[in-house]
Amino acid sequence: NGVLTGVGTTKSTFNLYRPCASVRARLSIKFDNYPEETAWELYDSSFNLIDSGGFNPAGTAITGYAALGFADRSTFSVVKCLAPGTYTFVIYDDYGDGMYTSSTVSGTYSMNNLNNGAALFSGGGDFGAFSEHEFVIE
């Protein structure tokens, strides 16, 4: 809701945030060598799907993040606005070996409450076909 004016010749970066009446939470996923195998879903307390990533448009097959331009070992991050309640996060690996290429190349994932800095959940890449985390926004 502001105005940006000015003239410049150098590159600028702007971080824009949508107003959030409740909690801003950041989901971060650091991929292993196979971002094309990774997908995730976020459910509310009634197990209604409220967001997802890494699936085809119908939500029936994992397409992963390589098709979206994410390279091996890169990081996907998104900020969500979450109302108070209980949520379930599920991360999937299409190959069934998690985000785990080797003992030296393993992915990670986490969600943090940006309002107070608290960790909501985190996990390593060695999880098999999927890993599920329940967390509460107060």
Side-chain angles (χ1 to χ4, degrees):
N1 293 340
V3 176
L4 178 65
T5 60
V7 177
T9 58
T10 60
K11 181 179 176 181
S12 299
T13 301
F14 299 94
N15 294 312
L16 304 175
Y17 297 101
R18 188 175 345 159
C20 182
S22 49
V23 172
R24 286 181 42 237
R26 180 187 316 271
L27 170 64
S28 295
I29 301 172
K30 182 181 183 295
F31 303 109
D32 63 352
N33 284 347
Y34 301 96
E36 64 271 18
E37 297 175 355
T38 304
W40 59 273
E41 295 173 319
L42 183 62
Y43 294 91
D44 67 13
S45 60
S46 299
F47 291 101
N48 297 307
L49 180 65
I50 59 171
D51 205 356
S52 65
F55 289 95
N56 65 358
T60 57
I62 293 174
T63 55
Y65 279 82
L68 299 173
F70 286 85
D72 297 357
R73 303 182 193 182
S74 63
T75 300
F76 164 81
S77 182
V78 64
V79 175
K80 309 303 304 172
C81 186
L82 300 176
T86 301
Y87 295 87
T88 301
F89 172 83
V90 186
I91 189 163
Y92 300 95
D93 182 81
D94 196 35
Y95 192 71
D97 63 349
M99 296 185 304
Y100 186 83
T101 303
S102 68
S103 61
T104 59
V105 179
S106 183
T108 60
Y109 57 93
S110 63
M111 184 173 272
N112 295 299
N113 179 328
L114 296 178
N115 292 27
N116 65 14
L120 298 170
F121 64 82
S122 65
D126 194 7
F127 57 79
F130 72 95
S131 184
E132 184 176 307
H133 299 270
E134 185 177 281
F135 63 98
V136 176
I137 299 289
E138 296 180 350

